[in-house]
Amino acid sequence: MINTKKPKIWYGGDYNPDQWEKPIWDEDLRMFKLAGIDVATLNVFAWAKNQPDEETYDFGWLDEMMDKLHADGIGVCLATSTAAHPAWMARKYPDVLQVDFNGRKRKFGGRHNSCPNSPTYRKYAVRMAEKLAERYKGHPALLIWHINNEYGGAGNCYCDNCEAAFREWAKARYGTLDEVNRAWNTGFWGHTFHDWEDIVLPSGLSEEWAGANGRTETNFQGISLDYIRFHSDSLLDCYKLEYEAVKKHTPDIPVTTNLMGAFKKLDYHKWAKHMDVVSWDNYPRFDTPHSYTGMMHDLMRGLKDGQPFMLMEQTPSQQNWQPYNSLKRPGVMRLWSYQAVARGADTILFFQLRRSIGACEKYHGAVIEHVGHEHTRVFRECAQLGAELGKLGDTLLDARVEAKVAILFDWENWWAVEMSSGPTIALRYVDEAHKFYDALYRSGIAADVVSVEADLSGYDLVIAPVMYMVKQGIADKLENYVQSGGALITTFFSGIVDENDLVKTGGYPGELRKLLGIWAEDIDALLPSQRNRIVLPDGASGLKPEYECGMLCDLIHSEGAEVKAVYGDDFYRGMPALTVNKFGAGEAWYLATSPEAAFLQDWLSQLCSSRGIKPLVHSAPEGVETTLRSKDGQEYLFVLNHNADAVTVELGDRSGVDLLTGRPMDGGKAELAGRDVWIVKLHM
């Protein structure tokens, strides 16, 4: 439970009374009651209001609102307001301003525009956090601290402070210049460093340039990879300083900051170690697959080994910053909220509770629309959900999602894969992970999305898509997992480099070669218009005779692995495309190319079945999502219909009671309305 003061699924969101006149406040509180709102996130961007100059702090409005919310039974997620520094700070202390990729000094404007290595920024941010903690440490409304907001949302910084800090970071990581030169392979192009001061940041002025597909290209992957690590660490240091400031005065109040799913710039596995609870902001695009949103929830849940998380932001109706900002259709907000709960969320919070009237987010949806009253479709839907969450109480709090399949996801591997100078710009790490996730999702099979550092012993199947970077100790860990009876799948372009993006010589897939029982001689990059075929032997149970594949094709040779499928075309026709190697009590699979979706769904379904991993319901219709949460020996089956029309779902021998309606669910077949949800408390 996040905080015992509020023993239910929290419901509410970002509230900005500092942007409104006081007569609006009481009207908002009246409507919060109607909607079942019981948590408000305050003070996210109020730094300039709270601190109008260097010496003055004025929290009068916040005092009043904290008291008002508490009097109405509403708890507070209190932000430290440090996501946007005040204008006076930029004018008086320009070191707080970022320098961009091309060496230009920013002026005041936007948000997240602070240099993370600015001594001035850190000084005043920590001071603000501490003053808030001192002031509200005993306030009964305080439920959780919200540090900053969406770290990393603006460009990286390339100022002199960052450059000096990068040198110190490199000293701490490598110790000597000789080790730096080795890790960065600086003998290439005569880049050898003989003095720490010779090291400069990789940017548009030095090693990097804007490349195809929106990627940043670099001459030296090792230097650029370490800069990304450094920048993630720099922002994390800012977070940790504020964390420590509030914990000093409120040691029993949990602390979080809102993450953003598969956000490339920050290593969230490293960040999560310093968060009491993970929270994140869910904003699917108009064309985002439901399975991708599910994967993001599972990724966030996996950051702290399955601990329930907070949904910190979603929109009740529409967004404002995408190319096409469609309204959520009737029922979709409720459905997507329960999708979050189904996958481990213990809060449903919105951005925002009242719509702004100006600036870039004035058309971003809210519980209270511009009309200012409760007689809107969006408000009615929000009130319905609020009432349902009130009825659920603490039933689902701390319930865990159970999965026998894990997908390994690694930020540093992601950075390295997409920073590689070849073999193809078409390779996108998250997309390849999602292909596997989507195949499992469509088959109704649960998967955790976890770090390479996670304990794998509880999983029957572990999938490591495009494991290009194999860090120290990971090959041994995977060998031990398979040796003990586990099944591992990895793919093309795996086992190539170490943590410094240096190729492991002796043949691909490097340290994974013994485990996989193969040798990859070469890697063919196909044009977008080109395809090859995965051809299976006659009588391959449950699979078609052949499937399309493309993008990359590893040309592999068996070194003991059994060949399960071969390529159908080109000069490497007949070479292995899919292999399995028996290793100890387990097996290690290698998929040498990127296949069409049908292959993954057919193959993974068969492989899971062979290992006793079963779907949650029998033959769920297309567009129906299922998950299971369990708590104290009780299981709760979630069935979500993403279709606009009703479908028939076969529960088989599962029976129970739908918590939302009280309806008995006696197994067999039942009709689930369009965009509706069951939460079935199963008979055990």
Side-chain angles (χ1 to χ4, degrees):
M1 194 176 300
I2 301 169
N3 191 312
T4 56
K5 292 180 184 178
K6 192 68 65 176
K8 65 175 292 291
I9 294 174
W10 295 0
Y11 190 54
D14 279 46
Y15 182 44
N16 300 294
D18 47 303
Q19 298 176 18
W20 297 91
E21 299 297 325
K22 285 188 179 181
I24 297 290
W25 295 7
D26 291 333
E27 180 65 0
D28 287 343
L29 291 172
R30 179 188 72 82
M31 284 189 279
F32 291 171
K33 284 185 179 179
L34 294 177
I37 300 296
D38 50 40
V39 172
T41 302
L42 293 181
N43 197 46
V44 175
F45 291 110
W47 195 348
K49 185 175 183 68
N50 296 337
Q51 190 180 6
D53 59 50
E54 191 166 359
E55 301 299 331
T56 305
Y57 291 85
D58 182 2
F59 300 107
W61 74 274
L62 190 52
D63 291 344
E64 188 174 352
M65 183 48 64
M66 293 280 288
D67 292 343
K68 278 180 170 289
L69 290 170
H70 176 64
D72 269 25
I74 298 174
V76 173
C77 171
L78 187 56
T80 56
S81 76
T82 53
H85 58 248
W88 62 260
M89 192 181 297
R91 170 178 48 82
K92 193 169 183 179
Y93 299 105
D95 70 286
V96 304
L97 297 168
Q98 293 181 353
V99 170
D100 73 9
F101 180 74
N102 293 310
R104 299 172 299 186
K105 184 78 166 178
R106 283 184 58 97
K107 292 190 174 183
F108 177 76
R111 63 171 184 164
H112 301 298
N113 54 355
S114 308
C115 167
N117 290 293
S118 159
T120 303
Y121 173 76
R122 291 190 176 194
K123 168 186 169 182
Y124 285 107
V126 170
R127 185 178 294 177
M128 175 59 73
E130 185 151 8
K131 284 186 177 293
L132 288 164
E134 287 174 334
R135 192 174 193 90
Y136 299 110
K137 62 185 177 184
H139 201 288
L142 179 61
L143 297 177
I144 189 169
W145 287 106
H146 176 359
I147 305 296
N148 203 282
N149 186 76
E150 294 183 337
Y151 274 102
N156 297 351
C157 187
Y158 300 86
C159 73
D160 290 344
N161 282 327
C162 286
E163 193 159 84
F166 181 57
R167 294 178 186 128
E168 294 303 314
W169 183 93
K171 285 181 186 178
R173 182 176 176 89
Y174 296 110
T176 67
L177 275 173
D178 285 344
E179 186 60 18
V180 167
N181 286 317
R182 184 202 66 79
W184 292 352
N185 196 41
T186 57
F188 179 75
W189 282 3
H191 269 50
T192 303
F193 297 111
H194 297 288
D195 191 298
W196 290 101
E197 294 299 310
D198 293 338
I199 296 174
V200 300
L201 292 177
S203 72
L205 300 180
S206 56
E207 303 294 356
E208 298 181 352
W209 67 96
N213 283 3
R215 293 185 181 177
T216 298
E217 305 284 356
T218 179
N219 295 313
F220 277 81
Q221 284 78 27
I223 298 175
S224 293
L225 179 61
D226 271 345
Y227 170 70
I228 300 173
R229 288 174 171 138
F230 157 76
H231 190 264
S232 178
D233 286 353
S234 296
L235 287 167
L236 178 56
D237 285 343
C238 291
Y239 165 82
K240 287 160 63 177
L241 287 169
E242 291 192 49
Y243 179 99
E244 291 160 3
V246 299
K247 278 292 188 181
K248 182 166 66 175
H249 299 282
T250 56
D252 298 325
I253 299 295
V255 179
T256 192
T257 187
N258 48 339
L259 310 181
M260 294 177 281
F263 180 66
K264 190 174 183 181
K265 290 165 59 175
L266 303 182
D267 183 351
Y268 282 162
H269 282 122
K270 196 168 186 179
W271 278 65
K273 295 174 183 178
H274 305 280
M275 300 170 66
D276 296 331
V277 58
V278 165
S279 64
W280 85 286
D281 301 345
N282 180 34
Y283 290 111
R285 290 171 52 93
F286 66 93
D287 56 354
T288 300
H290 304 305
S291 62
Y292 184 86
T293 304
M295 187 174 88
M296 293 302 99
H297 287 308
D298 290 352
L299 175 62
M300 296 295 96
R301 187 184 71 246
L303 293 179
K304 291 189 78 68
D305 300 318
Q307 176 183 308
F309 59 89
M310 294 178 65
L311 181 63
M312 182 68 82
E313 291 185 22
Q314 66 169 352
T315 177
S317 55
Q318 66 189 149
Q319 299 167 40
N320 72 287
W321 44 270
Q322 293 183 0
Y324 306 99
N325 295 288
S326 305
L327 289 171
K328 287 182 177 176
R329 272 33 192 177
V332 169
M333 180 277 295
R334 174 178 177 266
L335 176 67
W336 290 4
S337 296
Y338 280 123
Q339 183 187 32
V341 174
R343 296 190 173 277
D346 276 357
T347 74
I348 298 296
L349 304 176
F350 298 112
F351 182 86
Q352 51 191 326
L353 296 186
R354 176 181 276 274
R355 270 204 199 214
S356 303
I357 60 170
C360 64
E361 289 181 329
K362 63 181 177 291
Y363 295 123
H364 194 290
V367 175
I368 302 171
E369 300 282 8
H370 284 145
V371 70
H373 59 57
E374 66 270 31
H375 306 297
T376 66
R377 175 186 65 87
V378 170
F379 189 92
R380 286 192 296 270
E381 290 194 26
C382 289
Q384 176 195 353
L385 179 57
E388 289 177 350
L389 295 177
K391 282 176 57 181
L392 287 173
D394 67 351
T395 302
L396 297 169
L397 290 187
D398 296 326
R400 294 270 180 150
V401 175
E402 304 290 340
K404 287 298 181 181
V405 180
I407 296 175
L408 301 188
F409 189 99
D410 184 70
W411 261 267
E412 293 182 308
N413 185 52
W414 181 8
W415 298 335
V417 164
E418 297 188 9
M419 198 182 292
S420 173
S421 55
T424 176
I425 62 170
L427 178 56
R428 294 179 174 87
Y429 176 66
V430 178
D431 288 352
E432 294 306 308
H434 177 245
K435 288 176 184 177
F436 281 90
Y437 185 94
D438 183 67
L440 295 167
Y441 175 97
R442 291 174 182 272
S443 299
I445 295 170
D448 287 338
V449 185
V450 301
S451 164
V452 294
E453 298 177 0
D455 179 3
L456 305 180
S457 60
Y459 298 107
D460 293 327
L461 174 63
V462 171
I463 304 170
V466 195
M467 200 175 196
Y468 170 71
M469 175 187 287
V470 179
K471 300 176 186 176
Q472 189 172 7
I474 297 303
D476 289 341
K477 178 177 181 173
L478 294 177
E479 286 184 8
N480 290 335
Y481 166 74
V482 176
Q483 184 91 35
S484 300
L488 172 73
I489 297 172
T490 192
T491 73
F492 60 94
F493 207 46
S494 289
I496 309 293
V497 301
D498 67 9
E499 58 266 31
N500 296 311
D501 202 36
L502 296 176
V503 171
K504 300 292 287 189
T505 57
Y508 313 142
E511 292 184 71
L512 302 178
R513 188 169 170 177
K514 180 176 73 170
L515 172 60
L516 294 167
I518 60 161
W519 165 51
E521 178 181 356
D522 222 334
I523 304 168
D524 190 21
L526 275 59
L527 300 177
S529 60
Q530 292 178 305
R531 294 289 184 273
N532 206 310
R533 291 177 296 139
I534 297 173
V535 179
L536 292 104
D538 294 338
S541 175
L543 298 173
K544 294 188 296 185
E546 62 180 55
Y547 298 85
E548 273 197 355
C549 63
M551 187 170 63
L552 286 180
C553 297
D554 283 1
L555 280 57
I556 65 175
H557 305 272
S558 172
E559 294 183 326
E562 180 184 354
V563 177
K564 290 291 190 179
V566 298
Y567 290 113
D569 299 303
D570 218 317
F571 71 92
Y572 42 94
R573 177 182 179 181
M575 290 187 72
L578 177 67
T579 62
V580 61
N581 190 43
K582 302 298 182 182
F583 192 88
E587 58 189 26
W589 292 81
Y590 193 79
L591 179 58
T593 183
S594 183
E596 63 173 292
F599 172 79
L600 286 181
Q601 189 166 353
D602 293 348
W603 173 52
L604 288 177
S605 294
Q606 184 188 77
L607 183 57
C608 286
S609 178
S610 72
R611 300 191 66 81
I613 305 169
K614 299 179 180 179
L616 290 173
V617 300
H618 181 69
S619 301
E622 182 74 19
V624 171
E625 177 177 350
T626 57
T627 66
L628 193 75
R629 289 184 72 174
S630 61
K631 173 183 174 182
D632 300 330
Q634 177 62 58
E635 294 181 340
Y636 302 91
L637 174 67
F638 289 75
V639 185
L640 303 97
N641 182 12
H642 291 283
N643 301 292
D645 298 321
V647 295
T648 298
V649 179
E650 186 175 344
L651 292 178
D653 58 359
R654 293 182 180 273
S655 62
V657 176
D658 178 18
L659 295 180
L660 297 177
T661 63
R663 170 189 172 188
M665 309 294 291
D666 296 324
K669 295 181 179 179
E671 184 175 270
L672 178 59
R675 295 172 179 148
D676 203 358
V677 179
W678 294 331
I679 306 177
V680 184
K681 181 180 180 180
L682 294 174
H683 294 149
M684 304 302 291

